[in-house]
């Protein structure tokens, strides 16, 4: 069984910072891309940022220059450092990973989601 467990969400004022973490655990053979998506009320889920095993990254235009994605392959963990937060960043943030477990082929896994609220 593979799980993604997120942490780090919360309430912060505009201009503030938050750091999200997501750790993958279980019978993991390999992890390819890891990333973060978000979904605001009434909106579709959208990609925030992603990072490959080799460290290549891509991110949404709306967060470029403010959010930084990184990962620790030894810990099977991906991070999202969010700076200069805006009210429009308010959403549930979901961790994503493409994982090959010991007994199956590659599959997509999602975390349970963590609420990020930007408000004064």
């Amino acid at each position: 069984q593979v799980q993604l467990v997120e942490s780090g969400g919360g309430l912060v004022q505009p201009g503030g910072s938050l750091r999200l973490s997501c750790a993958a655990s279980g019978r993991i053979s390999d992890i390819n891309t890891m990333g973060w998506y978000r979904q605001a009320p009434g909106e579709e889920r959208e990609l925030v940022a992603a990072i490959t095993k080799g460290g290549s990254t891509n991110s949404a235009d709306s967060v470029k220059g403010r959010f930084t994605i990184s990962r620790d392959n030894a810990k099977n963990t991906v991070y999202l450092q969010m700076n200069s937060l805006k009210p429009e960043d308010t959403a549930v943030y979901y961790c994503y990973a493409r994982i090959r477990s010991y007994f199956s082929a590659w599959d997509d896994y999602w975390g349970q989601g963590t609420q990020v609220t930007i408000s004064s």
Side-chain angles (χ1 to χ4, degrees):
Q1 196 79 347
V2 173
Q3 289 186 63
L4 299 182
V5 179
E6 302 142 339
S7 61
L11 171 65
V12 68
Q13 292 186 345
S17 298
L18 281 174
R19 189 191 195 210
L20 305 183
S21 300
C22 172
S25 63
R27 296 179 175 271
I28 296 171
S29 174
D30 198 4
I31 302 178
N32 195 340
T33 299
M34 302 184 82
W36 294 92
Y37 284 71
R38 67 185 181 187
Q39 188 167 21
E43 302 287 335
E44 292 189 356
R45 191 174 295 191
E46 63 173 359
L47 173 69
V48 177
I51 183 168
T52 67
K53 185 178 181 179
S56 297
T57 63
N58 70 290
S59 59
D61 288 343
S62 59
V63 306
K64 278 186 167 69
R66 300 188 298 122
F67 292 10
T68 301
I69 189 169
S70 61
R71 67 189 278 177
D72 185 332
N73 291 330
K75 295 181 179 180
N76 291 339
T77 299
V78 62
Y79 307 95
L80 186 68
Q81 178 65 45
M82 305 185 292
N83 299 327
S84 303
L85 284 160
K86 304 176 181 179
E88 50 263 43
D89 294 318
T90 295
V92 177
Y93 283 69
Y94 296 91
C95 174
Y96 158 84
R98 186 146 183 90
I99 295 173
R100 182 172 62 191
S101 66
Y102 287 143
F103 305 110
S104 71
W106 293 96
D107 206 349
D108 297 328
Y109 292 86
W110 293 89
Q112 78 282 2
T114 184
Q115 178 70 45
V116 171
T117 303
I118 314 304
S119 175
S120 54

